[in-house]
Each structure stands twice: as structure tokens, then as C-alpha cells.
Amino acid sequence: MRKISPRRTGTRRSGARRLGVLAGVALLAVVSGCGTSGGGGSSPSANGGFTPPDVPMKQSLGSMEGQVNILAWPGYAEDGSNDPKVDWVTPFEKQTGCQANVKYFGTSDEAVKLMKTGQYDVVSASGDASLRLIAAGDVAPVNTDLVKNYADISPFLKDRDWNSVNGQMYGIPHGWGANLLMYNTDVVKPAPTSWGSVFTGASQYAGKVTAYDSPIYIADAALYLMKHQPGLKITNPYALDSDQLQAAVDLLKKQRQNVSEYWSDYLKEVQAFSTGDSVIGTTWEVIAQVAQGEKVPVKAVLPQEGSTGWSDTWMVSSKSQHSNCAYAWMDYITGPQAQADVAQYFGEAPANPKACDLTAKNFCDAYHASDAQYADKIWYWTTPISNCLDGRKDVQCTDYGDWTQAWTEVKG
Amino acid sequence: MTATSLEEPPAPDGPPGADRPPPSRARRRRPRPGVRTGLLLLPPMLWLGVAYLGALAALLITAFWSQDDFTGEIQRVWTLDNFRQLFTIDVYRTITVRTLLIAALVTVVDAVLAFPIALYMAKVASARAQRLLVIAVLMPLWASYLVKAYAWRAMLSENGLISWLLAPFGLDTPGYGLVATTVTLAYLWLPYMILPVFAGLERLPGSLLEASSDLGAHSWTTLRRVVLPMAFPAIVAGSIFTFSLSMGDFIAVTIVGGTGQLLGNVVYNNVGAANNLPFAAAVATIPIAVMLVYLAVVRRTGALENL
């Protein structure tokens, strides 16, 4: 832009007037924008207990709507577009006449955000997302009588902290798995047996440690402290008062000095292990398998302290326009065949033990699918809320907002 | 970077600089030139005002709301809490300072790299070579940002190209971190610095260089006392791009930044992950404020006319 000649003051004045008009227009736009979108959803009282908003439950099934919008973890609703052999969406479409529109999300937080749009009918929510969805009224209670496969689901996955409130199920359990400790077998010797190798012993692998990039990773530190610093009296890694949270944050800040990078994209972790930029850190079974498939010398173990993990639940949106197709999907995806397909593709334990007859030999044993004792060693992701999940009444626990803040501070 | 003019068309009754005052009756009969220009500019201004600045204003208003941490619902109640947090929690100050330092560093690196390239392009290269060089400078812009950032990730990795190149000298790759971020950003924004500086130097009359030489100046002196001062506004113009782009970036940092985070990451994490739009909006006001101050300072150098 060439210089506007300063000699003509008239130009300047009209310029100023134009600016004034502009500001007026902008203000108008803002005011009218606010007017239309007032009032939030119903939210629970900030500090007190957690009472889910009154969302009606579906009472009976009707005719199919012809389509369903699915929000899923990658791998949970494959339609053959990634790999023609991996397809369990097409059989569903043929059976029910519901066309499935699938959208993938990368983190629980993203899923929560997308569910707020009301554009999705069902979501595969992990435990760190489900309570938030319930509390915000984004998902409806689920009538388990309408899902015939529900009866077969492993009992230890039903009516848990992360998928039900006051005995009311808010979804159908899908599958579960642990966050494991992965290490490069060429570099990390002897084989680690404790999470200590990524916390107090992390300096041994300075600059080569990796960790999951999410506030929920704080629970991993809390779990370690629970076993190694009994003085803190942590009994549930998702129920931390402010002192306990501070202890976990301190541990994570120390860990950070040895961390090469945090991962949330699983391919990023595979790459970091294959180039040698990371040699030890948290992982999922599926990542270990992909890495091993690429001939990276890694192993994934469940350390002696147990671990955090995820237990996913299919939930129905409270604003669903296609709730019949949504129920049909929940029933289909928790059936033995679909469960077997998804579990083997993703690398997790199926929620429906009948799937084990259809999986490869030893698959279910490897993932401890029906092993309630093993499942009990895992602390499944649960949204931290201010009334302590461990039952303490005398203190207030830190909630997910505090954890998000703390996570920013950990990363510095 | 074309020279457009917002000047009014010259008044029909003589050159604008004429001494005599404009006749007052003529002014009443027809709309004043300013009004005509205003009418012409109304549609784009509406677009700018409603879609562009309106969105910005909406963002700024969101910064004064709060969010239910648990359910993620936005609560439309006026509060200064977001700004209080922003100013009282140390980590945000650290991140702001870090972001400013990186943006400044990237700008300096780019200016140092761009100046000789632009000088060669503008004053030394033949017309044909000049065209080829412009294409060469533009070429990286045609490739996707992500491809370039991931290329740097591969090069900077433990077994990467840089590590291999530096090994004979007993050095190692800087690994992922703030150094890697600076390098990557400097690479990404370099064309945005070269082009304005090139445009600025091209306008520098060759006769000035000759005059300087005739007066007995060495080429180094000419460079320092003639070329640099005249190119300075163009460099500042380029710095607006490199500085503001660096300050808003968050992708390069997630790819090569290791554990580091910049303001952009805080915004991204609060929008994309924590879904805390109000706090993200509050954080986003920092780069806006910094850029306003920067532009105000830059305006004095006359760099804005070089854009």
C-alpha cells in the first residue's frame, strides 16, 4: 500500500469517521450475537454433589431413521476405507438400514467438545469423559433392556463410577485396556518392572522419557505415589485433595526434566520410539504392536504398581435425532462378532466375553478379557470431581479444571 | 505487495494542492469525495466490520466469561477471573516471555538470512536469475506447512540428517526443544522476510550506490550507510510477518518443540482439549496486545508503507 498523502487532512478525518462506523458495526454484531445465544445448559452446583440433569430415557424402540452419526475412537468404527479387510460398519448398515457417518476423535477432551454440538448420536466415551458428558446433560441415560447384548457384558464393567450415576447406566461398556510401560529392549536394561523407571529413576534415561499429553496423566503419578509414599494417603488416583495433587505435580515436574516430549498422537509415539528419541514411557497395547510391526525393539509391560487404563462406553446423545439407529449401533457393536473384530484390531479386551470364542487363540488370555482380578488392578480413567470419588467427606477434591491447570504448570 | 492507492480522485476543479479555498457552493451541490469513497468502500468495510472485526470482538467478549470446569458449559457472567489467573499464575508469564523471545529470535535470524539474499536478488542478479530466485524463494510456500514441519522433525531426530552431518565435528543434533522450534519457525517464515526486503531494495535507486562509490565509499561503507538505512523499513515490514506468525504458531512447537509450549499451545489446549473458550480467549488477547504495541512502534519507522 502506498503512503496516503498527509497533506490532505480531509482524508484523515474521513478515515477516522470510517473507523467510527466500523466500530459501531462491530459492536452491533456482537450485541445481536449475544442476544440470541444466552443461557447455558443445566450444570451442577459448582461445589456440591453431582446430580445429573433430568434427561429422559428412551422407553421403547421404534423404526430406524436411516442413518446414525457416530463419534468414535480411531479403530472403533472401521468401514473398510483404511483397510478393505477391516470393516464392521458395512455389515451393520446392511443389517439395520442405518447409514453410519463416522467421525474420529483423538482425545477425550475433543470428544466432549464435539458432543456439545449435538450433531452426533453415539460416542465411545472413555471414563475421563463420561461423567462430564453426563453432568452437562449431553448424554441420556441408557435403557439397557433395549440392548440385548447388554446381558452378556462382563459384570465387572457394569455400574461403575465412570459409566453410571446412582445405579443408572449411561451407556453400554465396549472394551478396556491398561496404559502400559513401553521400553526399548536394546537400551533399557534390565527390563523395568516399576513405574519408578519413568519417575524417580527417570534420570537414567534423561531426555528419552515420554509421557501421555493429557491432564489425566496426573493420575499415573498419583498411582505411583499411592504405592510409594503411603504418607500421602492416596487411595484413588482420581480423588486427590490439593496437597495430594501438589505432590503429583511436583513428581511430574521432576519427571519433565528427563522427558523428550509428550505424546497424544499415537503415531508420533511410534515414530519417536523408532528413531530412538524416546526409549521408555507410557503406551497403549496398540502402539506397542504397531511399533513391533515396524521392527522397533520394544516391549510393553504392566508394572508392579498396576496402572491406569481406560474402559470405554457407548453413550447416546441427549439431542439424538436418530436414537433408534443409535441403539441398534450400540447393540451391534457390543455383539460377539463386532467385539471380536474391534478388540483384535485395536488391541484391547472386549467387554463381551462371548467375543473370545471368535478371536484368535489366546487373544483373550493375553488381554485378560475375563480376568476380573487383572481388571481390578487397573485404575480406569475417571473424571476427577470435587466431591471425592474415594468417599472422603471431610475434604474437597480437585476437579478436572484444576487438573487442566496443573497440567499446564507441569509442562511449564 | 502491489501498490494500490486509496487516494481520492483529484478534484475536477484543479490540482488538490491549489492555494485557493474550494468554493463552498460546489461542495454543497455534489457529495464530497470522501463520501463517495466511503460509499465505494461500504461493502468491503461491512465484511471487514461484521465478519472480521465482529468475530474478533466476540472473542474479546468471551474472555470476560467463565466456564464450568467440570461440564465445560460456558457461563455468561461477567468476570475478570480469566485475566486474574493469567496475571497471577507464574506459568503464563513464563510462557509469554518465552513466546516473545522465540518470536524475536526467529525475526532476527530471518532478517540476517534474508538481507544478503534479497540484496543479491535486487541488485546483483541478472533479470533472468532474479526471476528464478523469486520462484525459488516462493517455492517452499507451495508445500504444506505440515510437510515442512515434519521434515524438520525427521532431520532433527536422534538418527536424523543433522545428527549425521554434525557427528564428524563432535556435535550432536539439538534434539526436540526450543532451539528446534526456533530453527523450524525461522525456516517456515523466511520467504515472508525475503520478499518485503527484496521489494524494498529493488526500489533503491542504483544511482545512489554509484554516488556513494564516486564519493569514495567502500562497498562495506555503502552497505552500512546507504543500503541498510534505506532497507530498514522493509526489514521491519518483514518482521511484522515473522514476529506475528511466530507468536501465533503452535503446530511447529507440538511437532519439534519437545516438552516446550508457547502461547499458541495454551490457546489450543484450552479450546481443543479443555474446551475452556473463555480462558483461551483471554490468553489470545496477549498476542493481540503485543502486536498492537509492535505496530504502533513500527508505524514510526514508516515500515507500514512497505507492506
Side-chain angles (χ1 to χ4, degrees):
Chain A
M1 208 180 288
R2 220 164 66 212
K3 193 168 178 175
I4 294 174
S5 157
R7 67 200 140 89
R8 267 186 276 170
T9 48
T11 314
R12 276 226 178 130
R13 231 182 295 129
S14 70
R17 211 176 306 128
R18 267 206 306 270
L19 262 182
V21 170
L22 247 169
V25 169
L27 199 70
L28 210 86
V30 166
V31 169
S32 59
C34 295
T36 53
S37 55
S42 48
S43 48
S45 54
N47 299 325
F50 164 42
T51 321
D54 194 18
V55 179
M57 184 168 78
K58 197 171 176 64
Q59 296 304 330
S60 60
L61 291 178
S63 56
M64 299 296 166
E65 293 90 352
Q67 61 169 326
V68 57
N69 299 319
I70 299 170
L71 190 58
W73 284 106
Y76 275 19
E78 291 294 316
D79 59 2
S81 53
N82 284 336
D83 178 351
K85 282 182 291 225
V86 180
D87 180 1
W88 40 88
V89 165
T90 312
F92 163 76
E93 289 175 334
K94 288 208 179 106
Q95 269 176 39
T96 60
C98 301
Q99 194 206 324
N101 311 314
V102 183
K103 157 105 179 154
Y104 292 135
F105 58 86
T107 62
S108 288
D109 298 311
E110 196 185 335
V112 171
K113 191 179 70 168
L114 288 171
M115 279 305 280
K116 287 196 183 305
T117 63
Q119 289 171 8
Y120 303 94
D121 299 302
V122 278
V123 58
S124 61
S126 293
D128 55 334
S130 44
L131 289 190
R132 281 186 278 160
L133 290 168
I134 296 169
D138 292 328
V139 292
V142 163
N143 191 339
T144 50
D145 294 341
L146 303 181
V147 180
K148 91 178 152 14
N149 283 316
Y150 182 72
D152 297 331
I153 303 284
S154 297
F156 60 83
L157 297 173
K158 294 177 181 175
D159 294 320
R160 300 300 298 265
D161 284 348
W162 59 88
N163 57 21
S164 67
V165 176
N166 302 330
Q168 170 61 54
M169 281 300 280
Y170 274 78
I172 308 295
H174 168 91
W176 54 277
N179 295 316
L180 303 171
L181 179 63
M182 181 156 83
Y183 61 98
N184 184 319
T185 50
D186 290 349
V187 181
V188 181
K189 288 174 185 167
T193 55
S194 158
W195 288 111
S197 15
V198 291
F199 290 117
T200 45
S203 54
Q204 208 183 333
Y205 312 108
K208 307 262 180 174
V209 176
T210 188
Y212 186 51
D213 189 2
S214 162
I216 209 70
Y217 183 65
I218 291 171
D220 286 51
L223 177 73
Y224 178 76
L225 292 173
M226 185 165 103
K227 306 285 176 178
H228 294 273
Q229 280 191 36
L232 286 166
K233 296 202 173 72
I234 298 175
T235 56
N236 177 334
Y238 302 97
L240 306 178
D241 61 38
S242 49
D243 292 340
Q244 293 165 339
L245 178 67
Q246 193 53 50
V249 165
D250 290 343
L251 183 64
L252 289 167
K253 279 185 178 165
K254 265 191 225 124
Q255 183 198 38
R256 179 178 178 267
Q257 297 159 5
N258 301 309
V259 168
S260 58
E261 61 182 356
Y262 296 99
W263 64 274
S264 57
D265 170 357
Y266 80 97
L267 291 174
K268 188 174 162 185
E269 189 183 28
V270 172
Q271 198 222 355
F273 270 84
S274 62
T275 54
D277 291 300
S278 299
V279 298
I280 191 166
T282 36
T283 196
W284 299 333
E285 184 66 40
V286 62
I287 297 175
Q289 292 195 353
V290 172
Q292 284 161 355
E294 293 180 11
K295 305 275 181 277
V296 184
V298 292
K299 252 190 185 156
V301 293
L302 182 74
Q304 63 190 34
E305 292 91 354
S307 80
T308 59
W310 75 93
S311 176
D312 297 335
T313 309
W314 285 102
M315 303 177 120
V316 177
S317 168
S318 53
K319 305 171 196 93
S320 173
Q321 301 290 314
H322 315 99
S323 58
N324 292 310
C325 276
Y327 268 76
W329 170 260
M330 288 199 298
D331 193 32
Y332 170 82
I333 201 68
T334 50
Q337 186 61 54
Q339 283 271 299
D341 291 345
V342 179
Q344 293 189 101
Y345 179 70
F346 190 81
E348 64 177 0
N352 187 340
K354 284 191 174 169
C356 293
D357 300 336
L358 305 169
T359 53
K361 203 165 155 257
N362 297 332
F363 176 84
C364 278
D365 291 343
Y367 285 90
H368 308 268
S370 309
D371 187 348
Q373 266 184 332
Y374 177 90
D376 279 347
K377 276 197 232 163
I378 301 172
W379 287 94
Y380 297 104
W381 284 346
T382 308
T383 315
I385 53 177
S386 54
N387 55 336
C388 299
L389 293 160
D390 59 1
R392 279 183 292 173
K393 297 283 176 218
D394 52 332
V395 286
Q396 209 178 69
C397 280
T398 48
D399 64 17
Y400 194 73
D402 299 325
W403 284 40
T404 311
Q405 174 66 51
W407 186 242
T408 309
E409 281 176 45
V410 166
K411 293 207 288 175
Chain B
M1 257 139 269
T2 50
T4 50
S5 170
L6 282 181
E7 280 180 80
E8 304 153 23
D13 48 5
D19 280 344
R20 68 191 155 88
S24 55
R25 282 168 73 202
R27 205 168 47 193
R28 223 178 299 130
R29 251 187 286 123
R30 73 180 87 193
R32 286 203 352 222
V35 175
R36 268 185 286 149
T37 317
L39 281 175
L40 189 69
L41 286 176
L42 192 66
M45 281 299 169
L46 272 177
W47 168 254
L48 182 73
V50 177
Y52 194 85
L53 294 179
L56 196 63
L59 171 90
L60 294 180
I61 284 183
T62 313
F64 293 98
W65 286 338
S66 66
Q67 181 224 26
D68 184 312
D69 282 335
F70 178 40
T71 63
E73 302 289 336
I74 289 177
Q75 291 163 338
R76 293 180 171 81
V77 180
W78 298 104
T79 170
L80 286 171
D81 267 6
N82 292 322
F83 289 98
R84 192 178 47 75
Q85 280 189 27
L86 206 54
F87 289 117
T88 52
I89 300 176
D90 285 345
V91 70
Y92 297 115
R93 199 174 316 129
T94 316
I95 295 173
T96 304
V97 171
R98 180 188 303 145
T99 309
L100 288 176
L101 283 178
I102 290 218
L105 202 60
V106 168
T107 302
V108 169
V109 169
D110 274 348
V112 169
L113 289 178
F115 184 73
I117 300 175
L119 186 66
Y120 181 81
M121 281 164 67
K123 292 291 160 215
V124 183
S126 66
R128 187 182 143 79
Q130 192 186 62
R131 266 199 305 279
L132 286 175
L133 281 169
V134 169
I135 292 172
V137 168
L138 284 172
M139 199 120 68
L141 294 180
W142 301 337
S144 155
Y145 176 110
L146 284 177
V147 171
K148 291 180 280 183
Y150 273 106
W152 275 102
R153 183 178 165 86
M155 285 197 286
L156 288 160
S157 93
E158 194 77 4
N159 305 324
L161 185 68
I162 290 177
S163 160
W164 178 76
L165 281 175
L166 292 180
F169 306 99
L171 296 167
D172 199 7
T173 163
Y176 304 140
L178 296 177
V179 176
T181 308
T182 310
V183 170
T184 308
L185 288 177
Y187 167 81
L188 287 167
W189 311 143
L190 188 58
Y192 297 93
M193 180 63 96
I194 294 180
L195 293 175
V197 177
F198 166 64
L201 287 174
E202 223 189 3
R203 264 179 283 169
L204 183 74
S207 55
L208 281 184
L209 304 183
E210 282 162 23
S212 172
S213 155
D214 288 348
L215 291 169
H218 286 289
S219 39
W220 178 245
T221 316
T222 308
L223 197 67
R224 195 164 47 85
R225 299 190 56 182
V226 180
V227 181
L228 257 184
M230 294 201 70
F232 184 69
I235 295 174
V236 176
S239 80
I240 296 173
F241 291 115
T242 56
F243 192 76
S244 66
L245 287 169
S246 304
M247 220 167 32
D249 189 82
F250 66 95
I251 304 171
V253 195
T254 50
I255 295 173
V256 298
T259 57
Q261 53 181 349
L262 301 184
L263 278 177
N265 301 93
V266 178
V267 173
Y268 176 77
N269 287 337
N270 274 288
V271 177
N275 197 30
N276 191 343
L277 212 55
F279 188 71
V283 176
T285 56
I286 298 179
I288 294 176
V290 170
M291 275 322 286
L292 285 178
V293 172
Y294 191 68
L295 287 175
V297 174
V298 157
R299 198 167 154 264
R300 292 160 161 255
T301 67
L304 294 183
E305 288 99 58
N306 274 278
L307 287 182

